Amino acid sequence: MYLALLELKAARGRFLLMGCVVLLVAALVGIVSGFTTGLGDDTVSALRRLPATHLAFSPDARTDQFARSLVPAETLAGWQQRPGVQATPLGVTITRGTTDRHAEVDLAAFGVEPGSFLDPGAEDGQRLGGDGQLVISRKLAEEGVAIGDTLTVDRLGIALKVTGITGRASYGHVPAGYVTTATWQAIRFTTPGASGPAAGLPTQYSAIALRAAPSALAGADDQLGTRTVPVADAYAAAPGYTGERVTMTSIQFFLYLIAPLVVGAFFGVWTVQRQPELALLRAMGASRRRLLGHTLVQAATVVLGGTLAGAALASAVGLLVGTEVPFSLPGLALTATMATVALAALAGAALTLRRVATADPMTMLGAGR
């Protein structure tokens, strides 16, 4: 241990350089992890907020379900009559509107029944009470929409009175707003540019939100003509969610591969350069176990120091970007990410242990002469 620390001090330039490399890799992994989580939240946080266990779509909608699926009111009634199942309609549509104070915003309109288990309530103002009302997410409030404003849906002329503000929620990177299912049907089915309100709008929904044990759902799809999936499986229906996850996860995976290769290469070269010193220590009676411990102390010091510094840098980046970009790096996720980086880097360093263990003391006793 003492000798390991002395070597760290004597060759501090080399070890500092290696520590900086670990720092940058750890910071990059942490930043990528933060963007992965942030982008995921910005894409499906409104779906994650749904207090449902499953969603029932029309059977013909296999992809982009919220855009393609239409479930009739008769199917909803069938689900509501099943024992052990709570069912309520859900509509999801992305649209755009302008407030009476000329704030232009994109809006993911979520159609829910007031008082149902999907009703988001309101942190400020009043909860959703009737048709023509709108409860906005916190992000819409940050974009300039306020309680009391009237938001008019572009090209449709549908006026929505903002009555309350709920927590942060987005769908497909678009802030969510909650309206009644009747209002959602007007937004979804009204012909753009129509001179007056449409009559006889279809009583259909994007999906039916369910609260039920899996056993209560057995055979229901065949009877009711739906396709039921857990809420988490419906995240892929959000625009861009799958592509973003695959891209960011691939980047993380390659960074996890880079860490052991870089650290392993450094300690491999360092071990080769130290072969005479290792042989001398063996000739002086040092055990293989002591030499292995000596090398692991050096590797752990460099890797852990670099990883902790990288974690601090990633956290600083998160504080710097703030809410300007979708970035989220909770403490638990940061700890897990940095632990993975450290383990991967130490695994790379472990690849050099064989050379340390096979250092030949006869080298220093003249076996080569």
Side-chain angles (χ1 to χ4, degrees):
M1 177 74 146
Y2 178 69
L3 183 59
L5 297 178
L6 284 180
E7 276 196 336
L8 285 173
K9 183 178 179 181
R12 56 182 174 274
R14 296 181 185 182
F15 285 105
L16 183 60
L17 180 62
M18 190 59 224
C20 289
V21 173
V22 176
L23 181 157
L24 293 176
V25 171
L28 188 54
V29 173
I31 292 169
V32 171
S33 178
F35 280 120
T36 301
T37 306
L39 287 169
D41 288 343
D42 207 45
T43 305
V44 298
S45 59
L47 299 180
R48 287 175 177 162
R49 282 173 55 91
L50 296 177
T53 58
H54 297 77
L55 293 174
F57 297 99
S58 58
D60 57 329
R62 297 286 173 174
T63 60
D64 302 327
Q65 290 96 323
F66 291 107
R68 299 173 183 268
S69 173
L70 287 175
V71 182
E74 295 79 11
T75 303
L76 171 64
W79 272 109
Q80 290 175 333
Q81 292 170 7
R82 287 190 67 84
V85 176
Q86 289 180 276
T88 187
L90 171 67
V92 180
T93 296
I94 295 179
T95 186
R96 184 172 177 80
T98 305
T99 69
D100 50 2
R101 293 188 296 114
H102 309 292
E104 299 181 0
V105 294
D106 293 318
L107 171 72
F110 275 63
V112 300
E113 288 294 327
S116 69
F117 62 82
L118 292 186
D119 189 338
E123 295 178 356
D124 299 314
Q126 298 179 347
R127 64 192 310 152
L128 191 64
D131 298 340
Q133 295 184 0
L134 172 66
V135 173
I136 61 174
S137 62
R138 186 67 58 182
K139 189 173 180 181
L140 272 174
E142 294 170 357
E143 293 183 4
V145 184
I147 296 175
D149 286 355
T150 298
L151 186 146
T152 303
V153 180
D154 292 354
R155 300 195 301 160
L156 301 181
I158 299 173
L160 305 174
K161 187 73 171 180
V162 180
T163 61
I165 301 174
T166 187
R168 299 182 69 87
S170 300
Y171 171 77
H173 303 298
V174 178
Y178 298 86
V179 297
T180 63
T181 51
T183 302
W184 175 83
Q185 289 165 353
I187 296 172
R188 174 67 172 81
F189 298 114
T190 299
T191 303
S195 57
L201 292 173
T203 52
Q204 296 176 319
Y205 315 98
S206 298
I208 300 171
L210 307 173
R211 270 182 170 177
S215 58
L217 304 178
D221 283 338
D222 293 335
Q223 296 175 14
L224 300 174
T226 56
R227 190 173 69 88
T228 302
V229 299
V231 172
D233 291 349
Y235 294 166
Y241 180 76
T242 301
E244 289 172 355
R245 296 287 293 182
V246 170
T247 300
M248 302 305 286
T249 303
S250 298
I251 295 173
Q252 280 186 288
F253 174 74
F254 282 107
L255 288 172
Y256 287 138
L257 289 181
I258 289 171
L261 291 177
V262 171
V263 174
F266 171 81
F267 277 99
V269 172
W270 176 246
T271 301
V272 170
Q273 292 177 340
R274 293 166 57 232
Q275 281 298 305
E277 288 83 354
L278 293 173
L280 176 60
L281 290 173
R282 288 285 290 128
M284 294 174 62
S287 65
R288 288 189 176 88
R289 184 175 180 179
R290 185 172 183 182
L291 293 183
L292 291 175
H294 164 83
T295 303
L296 287 174
V297 166
Q298 289 181 339
T301 302
V302 173
V303 169
L304 294 180
T307 302
L308 291 174
L313 181 57
S315 299
V317 170
L319 294 174
L320 182 64
V321 298
T323 57
E324 298 299 320
V325 296
F327 186 95
S328 177
L329 193 59
L332 186 60
L334 178 62
T335 302
T337 300
M338 293 301 110
T340 305
V341 172
L343 289 175
L346 288 173
L351 297 176
T352 66
L353 294 180
R354 181 175 177 277
R355 278 188 169 273
V356 175
T358 57
D360 186 4
M362 297 301 294
T363 301
M364 300 307 297
L365 297 177
R369 294 198 294 269

